[in-house]
């Protein structure tokens, strides 16, 4: 288990304990790990790559299967009966008696361990009711999704059936589909052309075929087994010696149909016609026709969706020991508290360790950290974050770590201080908005200054904001002795006019006559006539 644990332990998927996979040529094949009762994936050719993926090892599953035979009364011995053999029809000394343990042939003898003793087998009644067909169903259930890892092999004593179907179910027996047809004449029995698994290619590897290979009469002792060829199908993708299993796994990753093909929860053998000894049914001796199965091998591993490398048998059921925060019989969902994102199966890729695709918890939902400004958090699904709600003390943010709009960070306070946020208090009239920078400075309108925008720059005066000065004592002076009143207007002496008192009242616009006309006072008259008087005097 150590090497394969690598795949499951490394939730963050870095090599654990400094162990990184050796280069392909040196990868270890652990002796005894691939315990195949039938034909193990070679001893030095095997599939070492799979040891790195997070999946349970393959095992013989017959110990864990429930067997049901149908119809009722199909098992021989009730009442007791005698049967003959195909090779020697006159030797009818064998007896089946359900009430005698030594002569009984109950279904469980299909899954027992032989322990080197005499062969034990389940046996049916004989074909006394010919020409009515002799039909029997053997249903195998595991109540668990399994992935077949090597050939399924059914061992028939006294000859193999001349017609049968292997069915499988993926949904605990609710629906069934044929897995493979078997007949000594496929066309005759199923109207299907006979095919061998070797004829399949990558494009049709999951085709359901009818094969004649396991149904022809070869003598009851020569070849007893009927197989469902898994290895040969793997070989289509992994090469004849299955050295390239990563290619197969990579394909399974993308092709659900291929993956499902090797997956099942139940199998069913539909026995349709028994062995006939290579000839026609001989009505005068029907006691030599029956079915007898001594063993059923189904090498498989628990399907754990690459989230477990162990599968245990508990309370009569197989269960994956889920890693990666997954749960369920097949590790097919996220454990509660780890549903931050949707469940996905683990991946075989990238080789060799694959990826865990672990379920993750809501990042901090168990630790709702809000710096003391809230004690409630909420998970926002589409952002995959946990956020504090109803932050107090004018704070805001995922962890109440920021100040609300209109407040700024109190540099002398800790994040968890009630006084951490100070109001900006921007002057409504002078500021552009109510926000301030981290130093508490508001953004001021033109001509406005001060932390809160409540003062005017030089050259401006306050009037519902800062207005450029009309006049002042420094830059824009009132002229000719005029005085600046509240920066808004110049108050001129009587002789001058204009916004800055820059013009003489006598200038232009009709000169003195006009001034005289508009202001007929003595000083104006004197001022107006003075220049003319002076000019006249100078001329003489
Ligand atoms: C075997 O199972 C098939 C499919 O459910 C059913 O149609 C058939 O009647 C069964 N045969 C017997 C002998 O019970
Ligand atoms: C099948 O397995 C599931 C999950 O382990 C269990 O809840 C259920 O009872 C089992 N059903 C039978 C018939 O054993
Ligand atoms: C599978 O495909 C190959 C060619 O790709 C073809 O030769 C063969 O007959 C096909 N087998 C079946 C069962 O259709
Ligand atoms: C800033 O925080 C300190 C420490 O809590 C506090 O004494 C001070 O009053 C705070 N300043 C303001 C303006 O709230
Ligand atoms: C804004 O500033 C002006 C000028 O200093 C001041 O007269 C006014 O009262 C302030 N407004 C507020 C709301 O503080
Ligand atoms: Ca047996």
């Amino acid at each position: 288990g150590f090497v394969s644990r690598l795949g499951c332990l490394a939730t963050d998927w870095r090599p654990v304990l400094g162990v990184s996979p050796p280069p392909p040529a040196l990868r270890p094949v652990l002796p005894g790990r691939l315990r195949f009762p039938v034909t193990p994936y070679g001893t030095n050719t095997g599939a070492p790559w799979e040891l790195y993926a997070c999946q349970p090892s393959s095992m013989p599953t017959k110990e864990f299967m429930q067997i049901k035979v149908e119809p009722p009364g199909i098992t021989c011995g009730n009442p007791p009966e005698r049967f003959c053999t195909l090779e020697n029809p006159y030797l009818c000394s064998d007896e089946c008696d359900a009430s005698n343990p030594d002569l009984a042939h109950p279904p469980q003898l299909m899954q027992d361990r032989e322990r080197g003793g005499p062969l034990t087998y389940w046996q049916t009644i004989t074909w006394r009711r010919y020409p009515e067909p002799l039909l029997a169903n053997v249903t195998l259930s595991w109540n668990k999704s399994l992935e077949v890892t090597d050939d399924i092999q059914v061992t028939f004593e006294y000859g193999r059936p001349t017609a049968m179907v292997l069915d499988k179910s993926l949904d605990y027996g609710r629906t069934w589909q044929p897995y493979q047809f078997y007949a000594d004449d496929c066309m005759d029995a199923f109207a299907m052309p006979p095919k061998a698994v070797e004829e399949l290619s990558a494009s049709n590897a999951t085709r359901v075929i009818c094969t004649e290979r396991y149904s022809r009469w070869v003598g009851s002792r020569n070849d007893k087994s009927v197989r469902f060829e898994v290895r040969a199908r793997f070989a289509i993708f992994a090469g004849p010696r299955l050295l390239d299993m990563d290619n197969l796994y990579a394909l399974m990753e993308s092709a659900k149909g291929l993956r499902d093909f090797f997956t099942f929860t139940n199998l069913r053998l539909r026995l349709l016609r028994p062995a006939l000894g290579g000839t026609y049914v001989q009505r005068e001796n029907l006691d030599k026709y029956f079915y007898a199965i001594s063993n059923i091998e189904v090498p498989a591993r628990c399907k754990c969706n690459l989230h477990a490398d162990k599968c245990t048998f508990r309370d009569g059921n197989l269960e994956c020991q889920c890693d990666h925060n997954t749960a369920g019989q097949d590790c097919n969902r996220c454990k509660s508290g780890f549903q931050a994102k949707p469940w996905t199966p683990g991946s075989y890729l990238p080789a060799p360790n694959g990826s865990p695709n672990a379920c993750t918890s809501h990042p901090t939902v168990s630790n709702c950290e809000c710096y003391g400004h809230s004690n409630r958090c909420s998970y926002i699904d589409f952002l995959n974050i946990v956020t504090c709600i109803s932050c107090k003390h004018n704070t805001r943010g995922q962890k109440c770590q920021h100040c609300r709009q209109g407040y700024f960070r109190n540099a002398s306070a800790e994040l968890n201080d009630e006084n951490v946020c100070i109001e900006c208090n921007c002057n409504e009239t002078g500021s552009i908005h109510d926000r301030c920078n981290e130093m508490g400075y508001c953004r001021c309108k033109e001509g406005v200054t001060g932390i809160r925008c409540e003062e005017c720059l030089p050259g401006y005066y306050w009037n519902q904001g800062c207005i450029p000065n009309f006049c002042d004592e420094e830059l824009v002076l009132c002229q000719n002795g005029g005085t600046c009143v509240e920066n808004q207007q110049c108050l001129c002496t009587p002789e001058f006019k204009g916004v800055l008192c820059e013009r003489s009242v006598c200038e232009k616009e009709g000169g003195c006559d006009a001034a005289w006309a508009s202001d007929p006072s003595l000083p104006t008259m004197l001022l107006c006539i003075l220049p003319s008087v002076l000019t006249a005097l100078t001329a003489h």
Side-chain angles (χ1 to χ4, degrees), residues 67-69 110 122 136-140 267-269 271 296:
I67 301 185
K68 184 181 171 195
V69 297
M110 288 184 267
W122 167 70
N137 283 352
V138 179
T139 306
L140 314 172
L267 294 172
R268 178 167 64 197
L269 295 170
L271 307 175
I296 299 178

Side-chain angles (χ1 to χ4, degrees), residues 318-507:
L318 284 169
E319 262 178 29
C320 299
Q321 298 297 298
C322 302
D323 256 318
H324 306 156
N325 305 319
T326 59
Q329 209 182 8
D330 303 346
C331 308
N332 50 336
R333 56 186 166 83
C334 287
K335 209 154 87 173
S336 78
F338 291 87
Q339 283 134 331
K341 55 180 185 176
W343 175 91
T344 42
S347 170
Y348 287 109
L349 301 173
N353 282 350
S355 335
N357 297 342
C359 291
T360 52
S361 60
H362 303 153
T364 55
V365 79
S366 50
N367 178 20
C368 178
E369 172 58 71
C370 306
Y371 292 108
H373 305 305
S374 169
N375 46 23
R376 288 167 61 208
C377 283
S378 144
Y379 175 62
I380 302 176
D381 195 45
F382 70 98
L383 292 175
N384 184 25
I385 56 161
V386 168
T387 184
C388 299
I389 51 175
S390 313
C391 295
K392 288 178 293 194
H393 310 134
N394 303 312
T395 61
R396 64 166 182 91
Q398 201 181 335
K399 297 182 171 181
C400 307
Q401 78 276 37
H402 299 303
C403 289
R404 264 176 57 195
Q405 195 166 307
Y407 293 78
F408 68 104
R409 175 74 199 274
N410 180 343
S412 54
E414 298 291 326
L415 258 182
N416 57 4
D417 193 315
E418 285 190 12
N419 296 315
V420 70
C421 292
I422 304 172
E423 195 172 4
C424 299
N425 224 341
C426 301
N427 187 297
E428 264 173 50
T429 323
S431 61
I432 289 172
H433 48 58
D434 63 356
R435 278 162 274 165
C436 56
N437 70 9
E438 65 273 16
M439 305 293 292
Y441 280 86
C442 301
R443 274 195 71 192
C444 302
K445 290 179 184 163
E446 196 197 333
V448 186
T449 187
I451 294 185
R452 301 193 179 81
C453 306
E454 62 211 340
E455 292 161 33
C456 290
L457 288 168
Y460 291 82
Y461 71 98
W462 186 270
N463 180 10
Q464 305 289 86
C466 293
I467 314 275
N469 284 351
F470 184 81
C471 57
D472 55 34
E473 307 301 328
E474 295 153 33
L475 300 172
V476 191
L477 299 170
C478 296
Q479 296 166 29
N480 300 313
T483 6
C484 181
V485 180
E486 292 183 334
N487 301 110
Q488 297 175 46
Q489 66 178 117
C490 290
L491 187 64
C492 304
T493 54
E495 303 82 31
F496 290 91
K497 61 174 184 178
V499 287
L500 293 174
C501 312
E502 74 278 16
R503 286 189 286 139
S504 159
V505 291
C506 299
E507 265 177 31

Side-chain angles (χ1 to χ4, degrees), residues 29 63 66 68 82 149 176 213 244 248 250 277 291 344 359 361 418 441 525:
V29 175
E63 293 173 41
Q66 298 286 322
K68 184 181 171 195
R82 280 151 61 81
T149 51
W176 292 86
R213 179 176 288 168
D244 195 13
L248 172 65
Y291 306 103
T344 42
C359 291
S361 60
E418 285 190 12
Y441 280 86
M525 183 206 71

Side-chain angles (χ1 to χ4, degrees), residues 8-329:
C8 297
L9 271 183
T11 305
D12 62 358
W13 228 245
R14 267 167 272 146
V16 170
L17 305 171
V19 179
S20 53
L26 300 175
R27 280 184 209 155
V29 175
L30 303 186
R33 251 190 76 77
L34 301 165
R35 291 172 292 119
F36 280 86
V38 194
T39 41
Y41 291 142
T43 42
N44 55 2
T45 63
W49 189 85
E50 70 175 303
L51 298 178
Y52 292 93
C54 181
Q55 56 184 350
S57 43
S58 178
M59 62 183 179
T61 58
K62 70 175 177 183
E63 293 173 41
F64 310 112
M65 72 190 176
Q66 298 286 322
I67 301 185
K68 184 181 171 195
V69 297
E70 286 171 304
I74 188 69
T75 300
C76 68
N78 185 20
E81 59 184 318
R82 280 151 61 81
F83 54 93
C84 318
T85 65
L86 286 165
E87 270 117 344
N88 190 346
Y90 305 105
L91 184 68
C92 299
S93 54
D94 285 333
E95 200 181 345
C96 178
D97 183 352
S99 62
N100 178 341
D102 292 336
L103 299 175
H105 293 281
Q108 61 265 33
L109 297 183
M110 288 184 267
Q111 67 187 134
D112 60 341
R113 293 191 195 168
E114 299 290 355
R115 294 199 181 87
L119 275 174
T120 58
Y121 49 91
W122 167 70
Q123 187 177 322
T124 67
I125 55 172
T126 61
W127 205 356
R128 290 252 184 83
R129 287 194 214 132
Y130 180 86
E132 218 179 278
L134 180 61
L135 302 176
N137 283 352
V138 179
T139 306
L140 314 172
S141 313
W142 287 267
N143 190 24
K144 172 83 191 78
S145 299
L146 301 174
E147 291 166 337
V148 66
T149 51
D150 205 340
D151 292 4
I152 296 170
Q153 182 173 307
V154 183
T155 309
F156 285 88
E157 304 298 325
Y158 302 100
R160 302 175 293 187
T162 49
M164 75 170 241
V165 184
L166 175 66
D167 288 337
K168 75 161 188 172
S169 171
L170 275 164
D171 54 10
Y172 306 92
R174 275 186 286 281
T175 61
W176 292 86
Q177 61 205 77
Y179 219 178
Q180 190 146 307
F181 293 87
Y182 300 85
D184 58 352
D185 184 335
C186 281
M187 220 55 209
D188 179 56
F190 301 111
M192 293 172 78
K195 294 273 182 193
V197 71
E198 287 76 18
E199 293 172 48
L200 296 173
S201 65
S203 63
N204 54 19
T206 60
R207 184 75 51 89
V208 175
I209 59 168
C210 179
T211 180
E212 297 180 349
R213 179 176 288 168
Y214 304 105
S215 308
R216 295 203 204 93
W217 178 250
V218 291
S220 66
R221 281 165 213 287
N222 286 342
D223 196 350
K224 300 173 168 187
S225 69
V226 172
R227 284 170 183 272
F228 176 74
E229 302 97 333
V230 171
R231 233 165 204 280
R233 284 177 169 89
F234 283 176
I236 294 170
F237 305 101
R241 297 173 72 203
L242 303 183
L243 289 174
D244 195 13
M245 284 302 276
D246 37 358
N247 182 45
L248 172 65
Y249 286 130
L251 278 166
M252 283 191 176
E253 187 90 18
S254 52
K256 183 173 187 299
L258 186 61
R259 203 167 56 232
D260 284 351
F261 183 79
F262 297 108
T263 305
F264 60 94
T265 57
N266 307 56
L267 294 172
R268 178 167 64 197
L269 295 170
R270 276 193 281 140
L271 307 175
L272 302 173
R273 196 171 59 214
L276 301 179
T279 178
Y280 297 106
V281 178
Q282 290 165 333
R283 317 187 70 146
E284 66 283 2
N285 188 352
L286 294 171
D287 290 351
K288 61 182 177 181
Y289 304 119
F290 54 89
Y291 306 103
I293 296 178
S294 58
N295 194 36
I296 299 178
E297 288 294 348
V298 183
R301 75 168 104 256
C302 289
K303 177 186 172 80
C304 302
N305 288 298
L306 300 185
H307 287 312
D309 70 348
K310 283 200 178 60
C311 189
T312 54
F313 192 61
R314 226 180 33 202
D315 305 328
N317 282 300
L318 284 169
E319 262 178 29
C320 299
Q321 298 297 298
C322 302
D323 256 318
H324 306 156
N325 305 319
T326 59
Q329 209 182 8

